[in-house]
Amino acid sequence: MVAQTGNGHGKLIKQALDAAGGEARSALAASWRRSMSLYGLDPEDEGRPNTLTDQELREARDALEPMTTAAQDSLDRLFLAVGDTGCCVLLTNAEGVTLERRGAAADDEIFRRWGLWPGAVWSEAVEGTNGIGTALAERRPLTIHRDQHFHTRNTALSCTSHPIYGPTGRLAGLLDVSSCRADATQCVLGLIAAAVADAARAIEAQTFRQAFPQARIVLTDDAAGRNTAALLAVDQDDLVVGATRAARLALAITDDRIANQLAASEVLGVGAVKADLLNAERGAVRRALALSGGNVSAAARALGVSRATLHRKLHRLGLSNAP
């Protein structure tokens, strides 16, 4: 993009779209076209950020529970990683409404004026091309840097966002890091993008675990190497009762397959299920021993088995009776 000032930004957008004709050759151009033609927005609109009332914000936060609660630690850690670079961290719902924020007090006044604040609406239909709204519209992580924004009033911002999917695999919200630094380099933006992606996956995983508290959570083979949010929830009968979006994509899992009693072995393989069961059993025995201070009789009672049975399990699992 070419640097712009004043009314030049809107003119540059119109020129770029005219040059492209009816074909949008990039996600950015497609978003600009939606902003102008579909939503009827004006790049030079100087209006203030669209913001919910306090009551509307409370309702929006309640609607995204328990994800907003599950996200708190990840938001704190992400801000610790990027806060010194003049950034703030935002968690939004699927409509682009900012629900949670982390930021330095020294930046509060300017960020609030720009709408980087709880209750602000950053959907593409309202703000045009921007890191939050366009990532939600495209359903993929992206960075919108300065004059890539549609509205001239937002061209001082750099916004790096990553969608977050809920326990049923559906789009639930988005994690964003925004900055008003003019000296943000592509290298810095790349590091921020990696940190945002890790935090978004952590929020997905924590929310998923909380959604299936009685199930065994299985990390799929895909997750072991690339995506820690590729998780399955498996019940006591070894049936899949839940799957994150990453696991659904990797293993072709759908709501219908889950509803029709999908066996974990069908998607993971018999060997993987046996190994997972063995690890789960080993963990249960070790916890029982730890809680009983290594007393085998007390551990056996806690597990609901005889002392002799527990001794056999200890031998089979390669465990001693030490806590």
Side-chain angles (χ1 to χ4, degrees), residues 17 25 28 33 44 61-63 80 86 133 143 148 161 163 168 186 200 227 237-238 249 259 270 280 293 305:
L17 292 179
R25 292 185 170 85
L28 180 62
R33 191 172 296 283
E44 308 301 340
R61 280 174 169 158
D62 290 344
L80 284 174
T143 294
Q148 292 178 334
S161 301
T168 61
Q186 289 300 317
N227 193 338
D237 298 318
D238 292 312
L249 293 175
V270 175
V305 299

Side-chain angles (χ1 to χ4, degrees), residues 62-248:
D62 290 344
L64 200 62
E65 283 286 2
M67 181 176 288
T68 49
T69 298
Q72 298 303 311
D73 288 345
S74 292
L75 294 174
D76 291 340
R77 287 193 296 269
L78 181 58
F79 179 65
L80 284 174
V82 303
D84 288 342
T85 62
C87 298
C88 70
V89 176
L90 306 174
L91 176 71
T92 82
N93 62 14
E95 288 71 47
V97 176
T98 303
L99 304 180
E100 300 287 340
R101 177 186 179 273
R102 299 291 188 275
D107 298 326
D108 282 356
E109 182 179 352
I110 187 169
F111 281 170
R112 185 166 194 167
R113 187 167 68 247
W114 283 346
L116 300 174
W117 204 260
V121 182
W122 283 94
S123 67
E124 196 178 65
V126 170
E127 285 294 337
T129 306
N130 71 87
I132 293 171
T134 303
L136 288 170
E138 295 280 339
R139 281 171 162 68
R140 65 183 179 90
L142 54 77
T143 294
I144 298 297
H145 183 50
R146 296 179 68 79
D147 56 1
Q148 292 178 334
H149 285 81
F150 183 78
H151 276 143
T152 302
R153 65 174 182 265
N154 294 328
T155 54
L157 300 175
S158 290
C159 306
T160 298
S161 301
H162 199 292
I164 299 174
Y165 291 84
T168 61
R170 293 171 177 79
L171 183 65
L174 176 139
L175 187 62
D176 171 81
V177 168
S178 288
S179 170
C180 59
R181 291 180 63 103
D183 58 351
T185 65
Q186 289 300 317
C187 180
V188 170
L189 292 176
L191 293 173
I192 290 174
V196 172
D198 286 343
R201 286 193 288 264
I203 293 171
E204 285 187 12
Q206 180 64 16
T207 305
F208 185 77
R209 292 176 186 277
Q210 291 184 1
F212 298 96
Q214 304 304 319
R216 192 171 74 253
I217 304 300
V218 179
L219 194 68
T220 70
D221 287 342
D222 177 75
R226 294 176 288 135
N227 193 338
T228 55
L231 306 175
L232 298 180
V234 180
D235 69 9
Q236 60 185 4
D237 298 318
D238 292 312
L239 297 176
V240 176
V241 293
T244 62
R245 179 176 183 270
R248 288 166 183 258

